[in-house]
């Protein structure tokens, strides 16, 4: 039920989020970046407490969230299409980059901030897609707190969803008809 609810929420949010101008989507990323900096000590503490990493390593995990967010702020340029006139007699070619739909991120326990909220979420969100993160069962608190900060930054409900189910329920994402793509980082 948790997986189905999260995917339904992401699917419902996709229609309006994908139609939100890219500059407005990116503004949420700028807001999120500011909240990361403002809450760095709290986030570092959560990561260290739940994972057992030392302070500096935990802070490094959170800083590795900030860097991809900053990169994703350049999405307006990354989303630009291309065109070529007269690719063949009487034919022009135009390429558009468009949001696709609901994506899922299945992440490991060892980098509870960097992988879900750095490697996966920023570009997915900035490009107009919606996302369900399957937080690592052993270390979900960092991702859950970061999700709260995304909401505080102005991300609409349903654009980013987080589930804490087991790997058995997470397998539902692999065949779910509403999931258009999956990012997986982990081992067997």
């Amino acid at each position: 039920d948790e997986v189905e609810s999260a995917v339904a929420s992401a699917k419902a949010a996709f229609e309006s989020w994908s139609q939100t101008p890219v500059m407005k989507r990116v503004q949420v990323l700028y807001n999120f970046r500011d909240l990361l900096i403002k809450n760095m000590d709290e986030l570092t503490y959560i990561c260290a407490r739940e994972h057992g990493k030392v302070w500096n390593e935990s802070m490094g995990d959170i800083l590795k969230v900030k860097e991809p967010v900053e990169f994703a702020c350049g999405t307006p340029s990354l989303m630009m299409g291309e065109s070529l006139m007269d690719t063949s007699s009487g034919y022009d070619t135009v390429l558009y980059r468009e949001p696709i739909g609901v994506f899922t991120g299945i992440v490991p326990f060892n980098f509870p901030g960097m992988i879900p909220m750095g490697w996966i979420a920023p570009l997915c969100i900035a490009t107009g897609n919606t996302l369900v993160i399957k937080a690592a069962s052993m270390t979900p608190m960092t991702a859950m707190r970061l999700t709260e900060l995304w909401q505080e930054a102005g991300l609409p409900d349903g654009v980013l969803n987080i589930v804490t189910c087991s790997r058995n329920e997470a397998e539902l994402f692999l065949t779910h008809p509403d999931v258009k793509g999956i990012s997986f980082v982990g081992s067997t």
Side-chain angles (χ1 to χ4, degrees):
D1 291 343
E2 184 182 9
V3 169
E4 288 296 333
S5 176
V7 172
S9 179
K11 183 179 179 183
F14 175 72
E15 185 176 337
S16 62
W17 185 246
S18 65
Q19 298 302 312
T20 301
V22 67
M23 295 302 287
K24 288 186 178 185
R25 294 191 307 251
V26 167
Q27 186 59 54
V28 174
L29 274 73
Y30 282 114
N31 295 343
F32 179 68
R33 178 196 174 274
D34 292 345
L35 289 169
L36 281 172
I37 293 167
K38 179 181 173 186
N39 293 281
M40 184 63 63
D41 284 345
E42 175 200 4
L43 294 164
T44 299
Y45 175 77
I46 292 169
C47 184
R49 183 172 181 223
E50 80 169 336
H51 191 277
K53 292 181 179 189
V54 297
W55 184 265
N56 285 343
E57 189 174 347
S58 295
M59 183 175 282
D61 189 348
I62 303 305
L63 287 170
K64 292 295 183 184
V65 174
K66 185 174 81 67
E67 292 169 0
V69 169
E70 292 170 342
F71 174 77
C73 287
T75 297
S77 295
L78 298 172
M79 293 283 295
M80 292 175 69
E82 300 173 7
S83 64
L84 179 63
M85 295 178 65
D86 294 320
T87 54
S88 183
S89 295
Y91 292 94
D92 299 336
T93 302
V94 180
L95 173 121
Y96 295 98
R97 291 189 170 89
E98 300 176 340
I100 298 171
V102 177
F103 283 78
T104 297
I106 301 173
V107 301
F109 76 97
N110 55 336
F111 290 97
M114 176 182 78
I115 293 174
M117 300 301 171
W119 289 6
I120 299 172
L123 283 168
C124 186
I125 290 168
T127 56
N129 296 292
T130 57
L131 180 62
V132 180
I133 292 286
K134 190 280 185 209
S137 300
M138 294 171 49
T139 56
M141 299 305 293
T142 303
M144 291 172 74
R145 179 63 180 124
L146 287 164
T147 300
E148 292 173 351
L149 292 180
W150 276 108
Q151 291 174 323
E152 190 178 328
L155 195 65
D157 289 345
V159 173
L160 175 60
N161 306 271
I162 190 161
V163 296
T164 56
C165 60
S166 77
R167 65 183 285 178
N168 298 324
E169 289 84 12
E171 289 185 18
L172 297 171
F173 292 119
L174 303 178
T175 57
H176 200 291
D178 294 328
V179 173
K180 303 301 181 193
I182 298 171
S183 179
F184 170 78
V185 179
S187 64
T188 58

